[in-house]
Amino acid sequence: MKNLFYAVLFLFPAFMYSQINFEQGYIINENGGKTNVLIKNKDWNNNPEVIEYKINGNEKINQIAAMNLKEFSVGNIKYLKAKVMIDRSSSNLDHLSITKDLKNNEEILLLKSLVEGKINLYRYNSGNITRFFYKKKNEDTFHQLEYKEYLNSNRIEKNETYKNQLKNEFSDNSKITDTDIERLGYTENKLKKIFILYNGLDPVTAEGNGKNNFHIYLKPGVGFSNYTIHAPQGTTDIGEYKKNGIAYRFGVELEYILNFNKGKWAIISEPAFQTVNLKVNDYNRRNFEIKYSALQLPFGFKHNMFLNQKSKIYVSGLLCFELILNNDVYTVDNISTSANGRVYPTFAAGYNYDRFGAELKWGSVPYFSSLYYGQPEKLNMNGFSVSLSYKLF
């Protein structure tokens, strides 16, 4: 079963690009000529280098370097080329500058339009460099929102000039106070919100048609567990004993969809309660019992592959923290021993249709193994479980 999972996992990347569709958009060349085309919408996180497009649905796929375009748009995404002054100082702790001042250079960059109105907000993202720019509606100049992390006497400090820039630009809007701006972090979500407020836009529409990035799923399920009793050492007339059982679990998956690549990646957590009870009576005149109840706290990533508007398949990988809730896990002839929780990886693959889904998970079900006298030898998580899911929202 485990080999099957890994085989499927390696095949899934082949489906990644097939889930990204060509959507209606346009390109504007260097001379200002505009052409309506179908563009492969990859919902780019970093600035795109190559754009794939078709003149219509039946023609071959064309490619053009993004920097050879003046502007392009697909769906609710728009990029445009601009001449800007940009500071490329690193925020990596090992490469922090020791000066507060920005080192600006003039460059021609592709900027993503985030908010449009009286004052527009743009983003440039390449590798570890993220910078934000703004431009007034009736002006041609793009201004960098100035921000820099630097070292001062071995302490990390911040040049937050962007706050003074915004205080000056937003001074004609009484809804935005200096305190609001002082609390403003240099992040896309926070900057978008304050630009949306300044421009008097509808937050739901401006943020992307009310798309909800956070989802909760109820996930009851069962796992297939087993218990192995090893015969006493040196014994030849007593065989090893194995017993299979059912582990019952109930989890709640918390999913946050990341804002790139068309919602294909998500951060997830799935707190779950799991319990199993295995009994072996009168094995070589002894009684054995496993009572295991635990709280599992997994954290990890999910990769969604959309089949259509209502259905998808997905794979996920998580690191699970286990907290055993009962003290007496192993019992042999009324003598009990405890077991310790641990940290272990789990993997899953599943299918969702609308609000309903089914999932197969590996590594979340306990496999117990004990010495003949009941001392815990190991508690592995190498079984598999099957669960159903219902999406609350």
Side-chain angles (χ1 to χ4, degrees), residues 59-215:
E59 290 202 3
K60 68 176 184 178
I61 299 174
N62 301 292
Q63 292 187 341
I64 187 171
M67 287 301 294
N68 290 339
L69 296 173
K70 188 175 181 179
E71 182 180 313
F72 78 89
S73 176
V74 56
N76 61 352
I77 298 170
K78 183 166 80 172
Y79 283 87
L80 68 160
K81 191 157 60 177
K83 182 186 292 185
V84 301
M85 299 296 293
I86 183 172
D87 171 74
R88 289 184 174 271
S89 299
S90 175
S91 295
N92 188 308
L93 182 61
D94 295 328
H95 300 96
L96 284 181
S97 170
I98 58 173
T99 61
K100 178 180 180 179
D101 296 335
L102 277 64
K103 186 178 180 180
N104 288 323
N105 292 296
E106 185 178 86
E107 297 185 32
I108 296 177
L109 302 175
L110 203 63
L111 304 181
K112 182 179 182 180
S113 177
L114 300 179
V115 179
E116 293 186 341
K118 185 178 176 181
I119 302 181
N120 300 338
L121 175 67
Y122 303 92
R123 186 198 76 190
Y124 171 75
N125 197 41
S126 178
N128 294 323
I129 300 295
T130 299
R131 297 289 184 267
F132 297 97
F133 300 84
Y134 71 93
K135 184 179 78 70
K136 295 182 180 179
K137 185 175 182 179
N138 298 321
E139 294 183 359
D140 295 327
T141 304
F142 290 79
H143 304 274
Q144 180 182 194
L145 286 170
E146 299 183 4
Y147 173 82
K148 179 181 178 179
E149 295 179 0
Y150 64 98
L151 283 177
N152 182 16
S153 301
N154 293 323
R155 292 189 309 171
I156 299 177
E157 296 193 6
K158 300 176 181 179
N159 178 343
E160 298 181 317
T161 303
Y162 72 94
K163 293 182 178 179
N164 291 328
Q165 292 175 278
L166 293 180
K167 287 177 186 178
N168 180 58
E169 300 294 353
F170 293 167
S171 61
D172 60 343
N173 191 317
S174 60
K175 293 182 179 180
I176 301 174
T177 66
D178 287 354
T179 302
D180 294 331
I181 295 176
E182 282 298 329
R183 294 173 179 171
L184 188 66
Y186 196 78
T187 65
E188 179 174 331
N189 285 339
K190 292 182 178 180
L191 289 171
K192 280 178 66 175
K193 286 178 181 178
I194 203 162
F195 271 78
I196 287 169
L197 178 61
Y198 175 79
N199 287 300
L201 303 175
D202 176 19
V204 174
T205 303
E207 288 283 0
N209 298 321
K211 180 177 66 175
N212 181 19
N213 285 37
F214 182 69
H215 307 291

